[in-house]
Amino acid sequence: MAERRAFAQKISRTVAAEVRKQIAGQYGGSPQLFKNLNVGAATSNTVPLTEAVEPVDFEEYLITHPPIVESGPLRDLIEFPPDDIEVIYTPRECRTVVQAVPEEGDTDPHVRDCVRSYTEDWAVVNRKYHKLGTGFNPNTLDKQKERQKGLPKQVFEADEMPDNSSYQDDQDDLKRRSMSIDDTPRGSWACSIFDLKNSLPDALLPHLLDRAPNEEIDRHNEDQRKSNRHRELFALHPALDEEEPIERHCVPEVPKEHFGQRLLVKCLSLKFEIEIEPIFASLALYDVKEKKKISENFFFDLNSEQTKGMLRPHIQTAAISTLARSAIFSITYPSQDVFLVIKLEKVLQQGDIGECAEPYMVFKESDAAKNKEKLEKLRGQSEQFCQRLGRYRMPFAWTAIHLMNIVNSAGSLERDTELEMSLSERKGSWSERRNSSIMGRRSLERTTSGDESCSLTGFRPATLTITNFFKQEGDRLSDEDLYKFLADMRRPSSVLRRLRPITAQLKLDISPAPENPHYCLTPDLLQVKPYPDSRVRPTREILEFPARDVYVPNTTYRNLLYVNPQSLNFANRQGSARNITVKVQFMNGEDPNNAMPVIFGKSSCADFAKEAYTAVVYHNRTKMFVPMRNEGPSVNFLNSLEAILVGLL
């Protein structure tokens, strides 16, 4: 046997299979690693291709296999830096004078902890080395848009697609002019397209043949490259698509209360041809395309003190919050299909809506002296109904404003404007006013045609004057009927032509809401900072019902319950079932005296009431109701909600 050489004696005789077994045992039997180490090896412990392979748990591996305590250049890659996480407590900003939390009582500890989450300071976790990780991408979409601001738009010849007909005419004309040249030899390349005699020479390049040193040319070229150069030129290009997408975690902002685009509506005056009784009004936003009501009701009272005195037996001392005449509406998804709907109600009286509205359509303000006796008789009847049925309301009239038409019309003017929404002069005939309305609506539709952005933040304030209302139809009180009417307002049809108008004059101010309005109340009647004086007539924030979901955390405690009776049909019932209303109460027990004052007041009344009534239509057996709003102190009382039918007259 030949003697082994010296360097060969140090070579290990270990078989490759033994090496693989040893490594597989040291690394905890990881399936993925075991598969990689056994590629090409004839062994029975292979992983089937049909089974999903679990990835290696890096944190668990570090716990089970602690790194060797040695100092080295790659040690920082294994250990987590101890100063990576920093927790900062940021004070929570409260926009109201008083915290919007329930009163403390004998509540469950879990409930108290949930309520405390609305008042405690924010715990912000900052990661010092977050930018060094693979999950951090500095080129976000917002930064890309910010970088692209101010860049000139480049238009190339390939982007401009010429009209085929005009392009062909130009080519034919050019050929005809070229072929008319007699001294051009037939068949040459110049006779087909180019007219060399009529063409203009190219501009000469200045200093092209001047002698200049190379260093000067390089410096000049470098200065030209740096002039108007973007500071982040390479960052303007979007990131390339990755072969294996990485989950990137963005640092979230501190949560805050969600608001859409805010609109301020001020109700200035409401005047009819005759003044014989109190009229009550409300505002709300509707989305025709989504067929949804996107805001709660805002009730306001513009009656004179003398007229409101007719309801003195039924009205307590009016709270300052119910005297508001301006409201802030929030619209998260503004569109061309949003309407501001104005509804009018009056005290219930004997007779259907048409009979009650007839005096407003017949008598004129100019004939008040001539019809003095008739008007006095009507006032006397109204006083009797107010004393007897002052707590009950009946639908009277309505109108709607195409919101984006007003915004676009006001935004196109250079100063504050007054828009006349009347159909014509008030003394004109109804047919003349109707024709003028159709032309006005068509002109407004032309201003909003196209893909214009629906923005409610940049238009100028406008004063709106509405001089006609539609008489409410007793059998068309549902929201579905309202959506049909609103759709017809955008394309005038015979449906609106059949509705008789009620001449009135309502003045509104519409403007973008200021950022920090004074004397403002939240939907929960909490005062918003700043609120210098509690005796000043406030502005109400109207709660929004978004047409689509808004994915934001709830940062403000709000405990509201909206009761919306839909319909009630007694047409097939034997006996008398007319003049139906629904009384809604929030009960804290079985006794009738246990009704709780948690229902929001409408206008010129107390802040909260113990009961609320739906509107009544005289002698109507099929009833459509108007939604109401109330506030409950606790969800435990929801099972005690009762609706009581009340017969009138």
Side-chain angles (χ1 to χ4, degrees):
M1 182 176 180
E3 187 178 0
R4 298 179 62 187
R5 301 182 63 177
F7 75 91
Q9 295 178 0
K10 298 181 180 180
I11 298 176
S12 175
R13 285 286 190 177
T14 308
V15 185
E18 296 179 359
V19 174
R20 286 194 294 271
K21 280 185 183 180
Q22 183 179 0
I23 295 177
Q26 291 178 356
Y27 285 84
S30 173
Q32 185 66 30
L33 185 60
F34 188 80
K35 178 182 177 181
N36 295 336
L37 293 175
N38 283 276
V39 175
T43 176
S44 60
N45 294 330
T46 58
V47 179
L49 298 178
T50 57
E51 294 184 5
V53 179
E54 294 292 334
V56 179
D57 192 342
F58 182 67
E59 288 79 5
E60 182 181 358
Y61 175 78
L62 288 180
I63 294 174
T64 56
H65 298 78
I68 303 175
V69 184
E70 291 182 358
S71 59
L74 302 180
R75 176 144 182 105
D76 294 339
L77 299 179
I78 302 176
E79 293 183 345
F80 294 102
D83 58 342
D84 181 25
I85 297 178
E86 179 185 14
V87 180
I88 301 175
Y89 289 92
T90 304
R92 182 190 293 260
E93 295 183 2
C94 180
R95 60 188 297 263
T96 56
V97 177
V98 182
Q99 288 280 2
V101 292
E103 298 180 359
E104 294 185 1
D106 297 334
T107 56
D108 186 81
H110 177 67
V111 176
R112 289 198 300 268
D113 292 339
C114 293
V115 172
R116 197 178 297 117
S117 64
Y118 293 100
T119 59
E120 288 185 343
D121 296 339
W122 298 111
V124 182
V125 178
N126 293 329
R127 296 184 178 272
K128 184 177 179 181
Y129 304 105
H130 175 68
K131 297 182 178 180
L132 302 179
T134 57
F136 177 76
N137 183 15
N139 295 328
T140 60
L141 182 60
D142 295 337
K143 288 186 177 180
Q144 286 286 94
K145 294 180 179 179
E146 186 68 24
R147 293 190 186 103
Q148 295 173 2
K149 288 183 178 179
L151 293 179
K153 184 179 180 181
Q154 298 182 2
V155 180
F156 301 93
E157 295 179 358
D159 299 332
E160 298 179 348
M161 300 299 294
D163 188 7
N164 295 330
S165 58
S166 61
Y167 179 76
Q168 187 64 31
D169 293 341
D170 295 341
Q171 293 296 326
D172 294 341
D173 182 66
L174 185 60
K175 289 181 180 181
R176 285 193 297 270
R177 289 192 292 107
S178 300
M179 293 296 292
S180 63
I181 303 175
D182 298 333
D183 53 350
T184 302
R186 184 175 297 276
S188 65
W189 65 273
C191 69
S192 59
I193 296 177
F194 298 101
D195 189 352
L196 298 180
K197 287 189 174 182
N198 297 329
S199 61
L200 297 176
D202 295 336
L204 297 178
L205 296 178
H207 310 292
L208 178 63
L209 302 178
D210 294 347
R211 291 183 177 275
N214 296 335
E215 294 80 2
E216 183 67 22
I217 297 176
D218 294 340
R219 186 188 62 79
H220 180 68
N221 293 338
E222 184 178 359
D223 293 340
Q224 285 188 335
R225 285 195 300 269
K226 290 183 178 180
S227 62
N228 299 326
R229 183 185 179 94
H230 198 276
R231 57 186 180 86
E232 296 179 351
L233 181 62
F234 295 101
L236 294 175
H237 193 278
L240 299 177
D241 295 335
E242 301 173 355
E243 297 180 358
E244 296 182 1
I246 302 175
E247 183 181 3
R248 303 191 184 277
H249 300 279
C250 300
V251 179
E253 298 180 356
V254 176
K256 58 183 179 180
E257 189 173 358
H258 169 74
F259 292 107
Q261 299 187 28
R262 287 155 62 92
L263 195 70
L264 175 62
V265 180
K266 294 182 180 180
C267 306
L268 303 180
S269 63
L270 176 62
K271 184 179 179 181
F272 289 84
E273 294 284 355
I274 57 176
E275 185 179 0
I276 58 176
E277 59 184 332
I279 301 294
F280 308 94
S282 64
L283 297 176
L285 292 177
Y286 289 82
D287 193 320
V288 179
K289 183 178 180 181
E290 300 290 340
K291 290 188 176 182
K292 288 184 179 180
K293 183 178 181 181
I294 59 175
S295 77
E296 63 177 358
N297 291 332
F298 169 62
F299 299 94
F300 60 96
D301 185 0
L302 297 176
N303 296 293
S304 63
E305 294 297 331
Q306 181 181 0
T307 307
K308 287 191 290 186
M310 301 169 65
L311 294 171
R312 191 171 291 110
H314 302 280
I315 296 179
Q316 303 174 359
T317 304
I320 190 65
S321 63
T322 62
L323 299 179
R325 295 181 180 177
S326 56
I328 296 178
F329 292 89
S330 176
I331 307 178
T332 301
Y333 302 105
S335 67
Q336 300 288 344
D337 303 293
V338 177
F339 281 81
L340 180 65
V341 178
I342 306 164
K343 294 184 179 181
L344 303 181
E345 293 181 347
K346 62 190 296 294
V347 175
L348 177 64
Q349 70 180 67
Q350 194 169 3
D352 59 14
I353 300 177
E355 296 176 2
C356 299
E358 189 69 22
Y360 293 91
M361 295 183 286
V362 174
F363 293 102
K364 300 297 180 182
E365 185 179 6
S366 58
D367 302 333
K370 185 184 359 181
N371 302 318
K372 184 177 180 181
E373 294 182 0
K374 295 181 180 179
L375 294 177
E376 290 295 336
K377 183 179 179 180
L378 291 174
R379 289 192 186 95
Q381 294 177 355
S382 299
E383 288 182 0
Q384 294 179 4
F385 286 117
C386 288
Q387 292 178 2
R388 182 184 174 191
L389 304 171
R391 68 175 67 182
Y392 305 108
R393 304 283 186 265
M394 64 179 294
F396 179 50
W398 69 276
T399 190
I401 302 171
H402 192 191
L403 193 59
M404 294 311 302
N405 280 347
I406 303 303
V407 171
N408 294 334
S409 300
S412 62
L413 301 178
E414 304 219 351
R415 56 184 179 84
D416 296 355
T417 174
E418 182 171 350
L419 300 177
E420 182 75 21
M421 290 303 292
S422 63
L423 303 183
S424 181
E425 294 294 332
R426 298 179 62 188
K427 296 182 181 179
S429 63
W430 165 238
S431 60
E432 294 173 352
R433 294 197 299 266
R434 176 174 55 81
N435 294 334
S436 176
S437 172
I438 295 174
M439 296 301 296
R441 279 195 291 264
R442 288 176 180 173
S443 64
L444 287 177
E445 287 177 2
R446 286 194 296 268
T447 61
T448 57
S449 61
D451 299 331
E452 298 180 3
S453 60
C454 300
S455 176
L456 303 177
T457 57
F459 71 98
R460 295 183 178 275
T463 300
L464 207 63
T465 302
I466 305 168
T467 57
N468 284 282
F469 287 83
F470 298 110
K471 178 176 64 68
Q472 181 66 64
E473 300 290 335
D475 55 346
R476 297 182 179 181
L477 297 173
S478 65
D479 286 343
E480 293 298 327
D481 296 323
L482 178 61
Y483 295 135
K484 294 178 182 178
F485 285 135
L486 296 180
D488 289 331
M489 292 189 72
R490 298 193 64 177
R491 53 179 193 279
S493 64
S494 59
V495 177
L496 291 179
R497 295 175 187 175
R498 292 197 300 265
L499 299 180
R500 294 186 61 187
I502 298 176
T503 305
Q505 188 180 69
L506 174 63
K507 284 191 175 183
L508 303 174
D509 270 350
I510 300 180
S511 62
E515 186 175 356
N516 295 315
H518 292 267
Y519 309 107
C520 188
L521 297 178
T522 66
D524 308 284
L525 301 185
L526 297 178
Q527 297 177 354
V528 180
K529 301 175 184 177
Y531 207 98
D533 192 353
S534 300
R535 297 170 296 179
V536 178
R537 192 190 301 271
T539 299
R540 293 279 299 272
E541 287 184 350
I542 304 304
L543 191 63
E544 180 189 9
F545 306 144
R548 299 185 295 276
D549 293 334
V550 179
Y551 299 101
V552 294
N554 296 321
T555 59
T556 304
Y557 177 82
R558 179 168 288 136
N559 186 21
L560 296 179
L561 172 68
Y562 287 86
V563 181
N564 186 10
Q566 295 292 329
S567 62
L568 182 63
N569 191 352
F570 279 153
N572 298 325
R573 181 179 180 273
Q574 297 293 332
S576 176
R578 299 175 297 183
N579 310 323
I580 302 170
T581 187
V582 170
K583 181 174 76 171
V584 178
Q585 291 179 318
F586 213 73
M587 307 296 295
N588 193 16
E590 298 294 336
D591 192 88
N593 296 326
N594 290 337
M596 304 178 64
V598 294
I599 301 177
F600 285 86
K602 293 185 178 180
S603 59
S604 298
C605 58
D607 284 333
F608 297 96
K610 293 184 179 181
E611 58 192 18
Y613 297 89
T614 58
V616 187
V617 178
Y618 182 76
H619 280 196
N620 193 346
R621 298 170 65 90
T622 303
K623 182 70 185 72
M624 295 295 177
F625 297 110
V626 179
M628 296 170 297
R629 170 179 184 248
N630 67 343
E631 180 182 85
S634 173
V635 294
N636 297 330
F637 295 101
L638 294 181
N639 296 329
S640 302
L641 184 64
E642 297 182 0
I644 305 171
L645 296 180
V646 179
L648 305 179
L649 300 180

